[in-house]
Amino acid sequence: MNRERRALTRAGLKATAARERIFQLLESALPERHHLSADDIYARLRQSGERMGISSIYRVLTDLEDAGLVHRHHFDRHTMGRSLFELADGAAHDHMVCVETGRILEFQDPLIEARQRAIAERHGFEVVGRKLVIRVRRAGA
Amino acid sequence: MNRERRALTRAGLKATAARERIFQLLESALPERHHLSADDIYARLRQSGERMGISSIYRVLTDLEDAGLVHRHHFDRHTMGRSLFELADGAAHDHMVCVETGRILEFQDPLIEARQRAIAERHGFEVVGRKLVIRVRRAGA
DNA sequence: TATTGTAATGATACCCATTCTCACCTAGAC
DNA sequence: GTCTAGGTGAGAATGGGTATCATTACAATA
């Protein structure tokens, strides 16, 4: 049983071809730091001669999200409504988006995380998720 | 010249009836901590016998956002695609959303803010905006 | 192997928040 | 008051995303 199947079944999802394939695509996009849209995935599949219904892609992505295997982001006001997905591998991280180039940088800061937990606790809550996007610009521009 | 007109012209916007009115509405929603959607505004206007085209409402909100007078939020995956607006009065604050009740709490934390600036700087950027949403659940649920 | 129930898939119709278009109107300068 | 850049509104268009539903794959049992 390969890695994708293991991840899926461990997360409580039946390992189907579609899920494995999308999981793989997101995995292969990781090193380039690529956040893929449903459309990107559709296009990449077609490019390699495969065919998958766009509705299935959305469904699979939502399933993977619900299972905690991928994260969904909405970075830009102008592309709002378009979701970008990335594999939720390992450590949670946050994003910095350059308003000029659109480049997305990832970072991770335990101090901010701890602080968030503390604030939630102070209000009687526990954190189940967080989303921090810092919009930035090249300094001195 | 009233407060709304001053705020608008100071921000470089021509003071029109539509802009003043929407500004007022957002202002009056502040004490209740209400985040209004374009539709909410449309409804509230109609309720008081006024009429404004929905396209104008969207346009005005976008203008106000560009001028830095209002902030736009997208809190929930299930209502994604729906923007919520609030007046950008004074101190920046972040949000905590209860995944169970949908309640939105606001908080403010100088430490997190300072940390964000530091991280941006370390990468050669300056912060132009940020958005932090912590998804929470009643503790011990 | 055949049966049968359950869940996944995909084509397509649909939804609905938002944006676009364009004729018309206004605010503000002179 | 006149002029003009820019604001407004009705309705059409856009475009992610979802719902529907017939078909297909799968797995368990006979």
Side-chain angles (χ1 to χ4, degrees):
Chain A
M1 193 191 260
N2 65 29
R3 189 141 60 100
E4 289 80 22
R5 293 183 79 81
R6 262 202 314 278
L8 289 167
T9 51
R10 206 188 314 132
L13 292 177
K14 201 193 278 188
T16 69
R19 285 173 182 162
E20 278 181 58
R21 195 68 188 86
I22 289 181
F23 196 100
Q24 271 176 6
L25 274 180
L26 289 169
E27 219 166 13
S28 68
L30 260 189
E32 343 151 24
R33 286 253 167 73
H34 255 170
H35 299 74
L36 301 179
S37 69
D39 235 39
D40 291 336
I41 291 170
Y42 184 75
R44 292 193 179 198
L45 285 172
R46 298 212 71 173
Q47 219 168 345
S48 56
E50 297 159 85
R51 184 73 59 107
M52 197 183 298
I54 189 70
S55 44
S56 295
I57 294 174
Y58 278 111
R59 211 167 337 132
V60 166
L61 286 170
T62 303
D63 290 344
L64 293 178
E65 185 191 12
D66 288 338
L69 294 174
V70 314
H71 291 312
R72 177 191 303 243
H73 301 289
H74 295 81
F75 289 122
D76 190 348
R77 176 183 104 193
H78 302 290
T79 52
M80 208 73 81
R82 161 167 285 138
S83 299
L84 295 180
F85 299 86
E86 76 176 322
L87 216 57
D89 76 320
H93 58 262
D94 294 309
H95 296 89
M96 217 174 328
V97 182
C98 178
V99 294
E100 277 152 4
T101 64
R103 191 149 78 99
I104 299 168
L105 287 157
E106 298 178 351
F107 68 91
Q108 206 248 349
D109 190 294
L111 209 135
I112 289 182
E113 284 169 39
R115 197 75 186 163
Q116 290 173 0
R117 270 195 304 280
I119 291 166
E121 269 165 36
R122 191 190 309 149
H123 290 265
F125 290 103
E126 60 183 312
V127 175
V128 302
R130 67 186 89 97
K131 196 150 290 188
L132 167 59
V133 179
I134 311 182
R135 303 180 62 237
V136 296
R137 171 174 48 201
R138 201 90 247 165
Chain B
M1 192 188 260
N2 64 28
R3 187 141 62 99
E4 289 81 21
R5 293 182 79 79
R6 263 202 313 278
L8 289 169
T9 50
R10 205 188 314 133
L13 293 177
K14 202 192 278 188
T16 68
R19 285 171 181 165
E20 280 181 57
R21 196 67 188 86
I22 289 181
F23 197 100
Q24 273 175 8
L25 274 181
L26 289 170
E27 219 167 14
S28 69
L30 260 189
E32 343 152 20
R33 288 254 166 73
H34 256 172
H35 299 74
L36 300 180
S37 69
D39 232 41
D40 292 336
I41 291 171
Y42 183 76
R44 291 192 182 198
L45 287 172
R46 298 213 69 174
Q47 218 168 346
S48 56
E50 298 159 84
R51 182 73 57 107
M52 195 182 300
I54 188 72
S55 44
S56 295
I57 294 174
Y58 278 110
R59 210 167 337 124
V60 167
L61 287 170
T62 303
D63 290 345
L64 294 179
E65 185 191 11
D66 287 339
L69 294 173
V70 315
H71 290 312
R72 178 193 301 246
H73 300 287
H74 293 83
F75 289 122
D76 190 348
R77 175 182 106 194
H78 302 290
T79 53
M80 208 73 79
R82 162 167 284 136
S83 298
L84 295 179
F85 299 86
E86 76 177 322
L87 215 58
D89 77 321
H93 58 262
D94 295 307
H95 295 88
M96 215 173 335
V97 182
C98 177
V99 295
E100 276 152 3
T101 65
R103 190 150 78 100
I104 299 169
L105 287 157
E106 298 177 351
F107 68 90
Q108 207 248 351
D109 189 294
L111 208 135
I112 289 182
E113 284 169 38
R115 196 77 186 160
Q116 290 173 359
R117 271 195 304 280
I119 291 167
E121 269 165 35
R122 190 189 310 148
H123 289 266
F125 290 104
E126 60 183 314
V127 174
V128 302
R130 68 186 87 95
K131 195 150 289 187
L132 167 60
V133 179
I134 310 182
R135 302 179 62 236
V136 297
R137 172 176 46 201
R138 202 90 247 166

